[in-house]
Every structure is written in structure tokens, then in C-alpha cells.
Amino acid sequence: MEYTTLGDTGMEVSRICLGCMSFGSSDWREWVLDEGESRAIIERAIDLGINFFDTANVYSNGESERVLGNALEGYDRDRQVVATKVYGEMDGTNPNAGGLSRKAIDQELSNSLDRLGMDTIDLYQTHRWDYDAPIDETLRALDDAVRRNQVRYIGTSSQWAHQFSRALHTSDDLGLERFQTMQNHYNLAYREEEREMVPLCDREGIGVIPWSPLARGYLTRPHEEFLETTRGKYMNDGRFAERIDTYRANGGDEINDRVAELAAEKGVTMAQIALAWLLHQDAVDAPIVGTTSVEHLEEAVEALEIDLSESDRAYLAEPYGPVAVNGHE
């Protein structure tokens, strides 16, 4: 395993972050693994040297956090870096069980700590931008959580660069904790983040931990085959139509073809080529890899060993053209 400093924090994390959205309960989503299957993947991740785990309070309505906390209980907590998120609505009957007001943050942080079985969360992230809560209120609540030692670092996720810049300026102006990480939508088939967000993060010393590094599976097999899979059909029937259309627009299918071509040449999988490309981007600290199998987890770790030349990377990226911004919702 390779390790890197997460942004300017000084905290060392594995270059692969295990995303835990697929752990919890199939009552939430049919493809989610139960606790026993989830634990097997988490334990194998630790065997492979992964020390960075990302979940959220909304994943399986809190079950993902509980499963992760239970799995890590038998290990040295000081060796693990646990990240979770707040914002999504946890209770449809409680208007304060979502968003980024002080009340929502305080109560949801307490609930997350209970489910994780931890005194302190290493990285506490806002899942999306809250258009109703003033950013200074959100940042003051997060700053207080750090001062109470319930949180070590704070981070955020997909939003416009002008919003993130405003948040950083507000923290600096008020002397509050800054967001240290950006979890954004970024992969070989979706590179709109390179226009403003990635340069902003580079300038400000922000750690970049992309979600959907394999484009929801679109970069894991030839596009014709992908569209016939259960996931491909699910994404193409209206529920994820905008995202699959975004990936395929303006060069996406040609990028997919080139990933397949290069994978065949190097004797590796398409997923490994796509992940290796992202790992070669200077701004990226640790892509967040979600999986439902130990085999795919092991393949992701093996991608760290793939050396893509500058010409390889240019060949993969060359067909890309501007597409609609996606992932801020």
C-alpha cells in the first residue's frame, strides 16, 4: 500500500479510500451487503494496508456507520482514519434531521458517533451545500465540534467552486476551522472539476478525494456490455439517466474504448486502468472506491502498481469534451 498526506493536514492516509455506501442493509438499496459480507471486505481492506474509510449518516439510514464501527472495533483505532458525512435527510418526519443548521449538525454528529462507537471522527464532511443554512452558522457549528474533540478535521463534498471559495474565506475571516478536503465527482469520463475546483484545491492545500472514480461502473467494461448489465440498465432508465448520458457525451464512448484497448495491452482490467489514471493526477490524494466484492477491492489496490506513461495518460484523456455539470444535487 502507498500512503500520502491528506491535503495540508499532516495526517497519513492510504492512497485507496474504501467507500462504505454498499455496506449496511439491503432494505435501503437491493445491492447493499449485510453486516457479515461487509465485514469480510473491511477486514480484507485492512489486510491490504487500507487505513482510510468513508461513510455517511444517510447510507442505509445509519447502518453503514454501525457496520463500519463494529468491524473496526477489534482493531487499533489509532491506525484507522474514519470519515463520515452530514446533510442528507435522516427522518422524513423531522425537518431538523437534515441540512447543515447548528441543530442538525449537533444532533447528527452525536448520532454518528454513537453508531460508529467512537469518541472522535477523524474527518467530518458536509455532504452537499445547504442553500438554507448560512455558511457561517455551519462553520461555527463544525468549529465547535473540533474544539469539543468530537471531530479532528472537517471536509466537504460536491459544490460550485465559488461556494467552496466563499466557505474558505469565511473560515479565514472568522478564525474558524477550514475545510481540509473536497470529495468531488471526478473520473476519466467526468473532468469538469479540472476547470475550477481542482485548481482551487491545489492553491489552498485541500485534499482531493474523488467519488465515483470508475464512473458508476461505466469505465469497468466496454460500453456496449455495460449498458446490458443490471447497473447499466438501472442508470439508463431515468433514475440515473442524466449521469450516464453525461459520461457518454462528448467523447465518453471513445474514452471507454481507449481504456479497454490499453487494458488489453497491459494485461489488466479496465477498472484498473481508469483508477490508475486518476491516481496519476497530482491533485488527487485518495479516490474513494466502493465495492461489493473482495476481488474488486484487491484489483483496486493492484492499480497502484500500474505505471501509465505521459503518452498513455494523454491518449486516454484526449477524446474528452465539455459535458453538463453533474453531481452537485
Side-chain angles (χ1 to χ4, degrees):
M1 178 52 61
E2 297 176 6
Y3 299 88
T4 188
T5 302
L6 186 60
D8 281 350
T9 66
M11 181 170 62
E12 294 285 321
V13 297
S14 51
R15 294 232 49 216
I16 299 293
C17 175
L18 180 61
C20 300
M21 186 177 182
S22 56
F23 307 152
S25 171
S26 60
D27 290 341
W28 185 62
R29 300 284 190 276
E30 62 183 14
W31 42 265
V32 173
L33 304 180
D34 65 19
E35 183 161 0
E37 295 171 308
S38 301
R39 184 185 288 266
I41 294 175
I42 294 167
E43 291 177 348
R44 181 57 179 147
I46 294 173
D47 290 342
L48 292 167
I50 291 175
N51 74 339
F52 192 14
F53 302 88
D54 176 77
T55 184
N57 61 345
V58 292
Y59 296 166
S60 289
N61 297 316
E63 276 296 289
S64 176
E65 290 180 323
R66 188 186 65 79
V67 166
L68 178 62
N70 288 347
L72 296 181
E73 188 176 11
Y75 294 89
D76 184 350
R77 175 68 183 87
D78 291 342
R79 292 180 176 271
Q80 314 306 328
V81 176
V82 174
T84 191
K85 299 183 283 292
V86 62
Y87 169 75
E89 187 176 277
M90 292 294 290
D91 180 353
T93 66
N94 180 359
N96 289 305
L100 299 176
S101 68
R102 176 178 289 276
K103 178 173 174 60
I105 289 172
D106 286 353
Q107 66 190 24
E108 291 307 321
L109 172 57
S110 178
N111 292 337
S112 288
L113 285 166
D114 286 345
R115 287 189 292 262
L116 287 164
M118 298 172 181
D119 296 323
T120 307
I121 291 168
D122 297 302
L123 178 63
Y124 197 52
Q125 306 156 101
T126 57
H127 212 156
R128 290 294 184 270
W129 184 269
D130 189 337
Y131 286 88
D132 295 322
I135 186 59
D136 60 319
E137 175 180 342
T138 297
L139 290 166
R140 288 183 193 277
L142 294 171
D143 183 80
D144 287 345
V146 174
R147 294 176 187 276
R148 292 193 303 266
N149 200 36
Q150 291 179 304
V151 172
R152 291 194 172 92
Y153 302 103
I154 61 173
T156 189
S157 189
S158 298
Q159 59 202 240
W160 297 101
H162 74 84
Q163 293 170 325
F164 190 38
S165 182
R166 177 184 168 195
L168 294 173
H169 174 77
T170 300
S171 290
D172 293 343
D173 190 47
L174 298 177
L176 304 173
E177 285 289 322
R178 290 177 119 230
F179 287 129
Q180 299 286 352
T181 58
M182 167 53 67
Q183 184 175 150
N184 53 350
H185 185 198
Y186 185 29
N187 57 60
L188 189 53
Y190 182 81
R191 294 168 45 206
E192 296 309 296
E193 296 292 292
E194 293 178 350
R195 303 187 189 281
E196 294 187 355
M197 184 59 78
V198 168
L200 173 60
C201 290
D202 183 57
R203 186 190 74 194
E204 297 290 339
I206 303 298
V208 175
I209 48 176
W211 57 268
S212 196
L214 301 178
R216 298 279 185 178
Y218 171 67
L219 295 174
T220 65
R221 62 185 67 206
H223 51 85
E224 303 93 339
E225 293 182 19
F226 175 76
L227 293 174
E228 294 303 314
T229 65
T230 299
R231 174 173 282 190
K233 292 176 180 178
Y234 180 82
M235 290 176 65
N236 207 36
D237 72 356
R239 284 171 285 187
F240 276 104
E242 181 183 356
R243 188 161 292 139
I244 189 61
D245 288 349
T246 297
Y247 290 150
R248 300 190 70 194
N250 227 355
D253 283 354
E254 185 174 351
I255 291 170
N256 180 286
D257 290 339
R258 293 189 183 195
V259 171
E261 177 188 338
L262 200 57
E265 287 180 7
K266 293 184 177 291
V268 298
T269 68
M270 287 180 63
Q272 288 173 318
I273 291 294
L275 193 56
W277 179 88
L278 199 55
L279 288 162
H280 276 73
Q281 304 309 303
D282 290 340
V284 173
D285 288 342
I288 299 171
V289 177
T291 182
T292 55
S293 79
V294 168
E295 178 185 359
H296 289 162
L297 173 66
E298 292 171 342
E299 286 183 0
V301 173
E302 290 169 1
L304 288 163
E305 301 174 4
I306 297 174
D307 182 30
L308 296 180
S309 67
E310 186 175 342
S311 61
D312 287 336
R313 300 195 300 273
Y315 181 68
L316 291 170
E318 189 272 332
Y320 185 83
V323 297
V325 172
N326 192 290
H328 291 186
E329 300 84 3

